[in-house]
Amino acid sequence: MGTRQTKSDVILIGAGIMSATLGSLLKELAPDWEITVFERRSTAGEESSNEWNNAGTGHASLCELNYTVEKKDGTIDINKAIAVNEEFHVSRQFWSYLVKKNIIRNPKEFIMPVPHLSFVQGEEDVAFLRKRYEAMSANPLFAGMEFTDDPDKLAEWVPLMMKDRNVDKPIAATRIESGTDVNFGALTRMLFEHLQNNNVEIKFRHQVDDIRRAGDGSWELKVRNLDTGAVERHSAKFVFIGGGGGSLHLLQKSG
């Protein structure tokens, strides 16, 4: 891949919430490490992490029905929901730590309390939601979850959805007050601002085209400057590939 031009301890590919989080963790644990970030867009958090592209539920399993699977015997498996919820609590602990350290100065700019609801219709889905509610509400992580199939109660919970609705088939919803709305785009930008202020080099408009393992165990990257077309060579002890649209082919190239 040519002669190496720059060398870092860690290279983060993609300027989304995953790289922002890992970079912030590394700055706390290994502040002397040199970190370089490559992002093909012009700013941080433009794609999947952006607030217009991310639901912002915190992914805490409070309203994500796909985290709870109905098994063949009719019972609801909530193990994934528990695991995801616990991970979200760890994220909140880390954000609280960053607030206490004054790295995040105004948490209201990215996180707010908001009820989480799941709405279903049809006999089969209503039956599923009821069983899901019974299984989840018995767990302390989901204490306070409510269920109703009463149209009048639903009109209180979701007035816009119920206005002028023809209730010609069963409908139901669950609601939990302890939900959280997370603006991952705003959080990403906050964390990258912090990283830039702490000597992390962030190269926007740079696309990683190739990656390979060197003989000494380090990683060599071929990076293209999208503005000039110039090809750059970079190496690092560790490389993190974020979850963006260009990650799969780099993972394949890495072996």
Side-chain angles (χ1 to χ4, degrees):
M1 292 177 66
T3 304
R4 288 181 285 185
Q5 293 181 346
T6 64
K7 189 172 184 178
S8 306
D9 292 300
V10 181
I11 286 176
L12 308 177
I13 302 176
I17 187 60
M18 295 174 70
S19 292
T21 300
L22 179 57
S24 299
L25 282 165
L26 289 174
K27 269 298 166 185
E28 297 303 302
L29 298 172
D32 296 331
W33 279 15
E34 292 186 9
I35 302 174
T36 304
V37 183
F38 295 108
E39 167 56 52
R40 66 187 183 89
R41 303 298 289 265
S42 301
T43 58
E46 279 195 40
E47 295 185 303
S48 298
S49 302
N50 189 270
E51 50 267 46
W52 288 105
N53 302 326
N54 194 297
T57 63
H59 310 287
S61 307
L62 303 181
C63 61
E64 294 92 347
L65 299 180
N66 57 310
Y67 292 162
T68 48
V69 178
E70 185 172 6
K71 297 189 289 187
K72 289 182 179 180
D73 63 1
T75 60
I76 306 297
D77 184 351
I78 67 169
N79 287 321
K80 182 176 182 179
I82 291 171
V84 172
N85 188 277
E86 290 173 342
E87 290 170 352
F88 180 65
H89 281 294
V90 173
S91 296
R92 294 207 303 184
Q93 291 170 27
F94 180 55
W95 300 333
S96 296
Y97 166 82
L98 296 178
V99 170
K100 289 179 180 179
K101 286 203 66 176
N102 209 32
I103 291 171
I104 294 177
R105 292 177 178 81
N106 185 6
K108 288 184 177 181
E109 292 181 0
F110 84 94
I111 189 167
M112 294 288 289
V114 64
H116 281 191
L117 293 98
S118 297
F119 182 93
V120 299
Q121 54 187 348
E123 290 185 9
E124 184 178 345
D125 286 345
V126 168
F128 165 80
L129 190 67
R130 186 190 297 274
K131 288 190 290 186
R132 178 183 186 271
Y133 157 73
E134 291 171 351
M136 295 184 73
S137 60
N139 187 289
L141 290 172
F142 309 106
M145 181 178 284
E146 302 173 82
F147 171 93
T148 188
D149 56 4
D150 177 7
D152 291 334
K153 189 65 174 179
L154 288 168
E156 295 179 19
W157 287 2
V158 284
L160 290 178
M161 290 178 63
M162 294 300 293
K163 183 180 180 181
D164 299 327
R165 177 182 288 269
N166 181 16
V167 185
D168 56 354
K169 54 186 171 182
I171 55 175
T174 54
R175 184 177 190 269
I176 185 165
E177 287 278 358
S178 59
T180 309
D181 180 71
V182 183
N183 185 330
F184 285 104
L187 178 59
T188 299
R189 293 187 290 271
M190 289 179 193
L191 295 181
F192 270 114
E193 181 181 359
H194 160 66
L195 292 175
Q196 283 182 304
N197 292 335
N198 284 270
N199 302 316
V200 172
E201 186 175 17
I202 305 176
K203 290 179 170 284
F204 293 109
R205 300 285 298 158
H206 279 68
Q207 179 167 305
V208 179
D209 290 331
D210 200 3
I211 179 174
R212 75 175 187 184
R213 200 75 180 262
D216 62 358
S218 65
W219 294 93
E220 296 181 357
L221 279 67
K222 177 183 176 183
V223 184
R224 181 161 40 94
N225 185 319
L226 296 179
D227 291 325
T228 66
V231 174
E232 306 171 3
R233 313 287 175 168
H234 298 267
S235 70
K237 300 174 186 175
F238 305 100
V239 174
F240 173 77
I241 302 175
S247 61
L248 184 56
H249 81 281
L250 291 177
L251 288 168
Q252 291 171 328
K253 287 175 178 292
S254 73

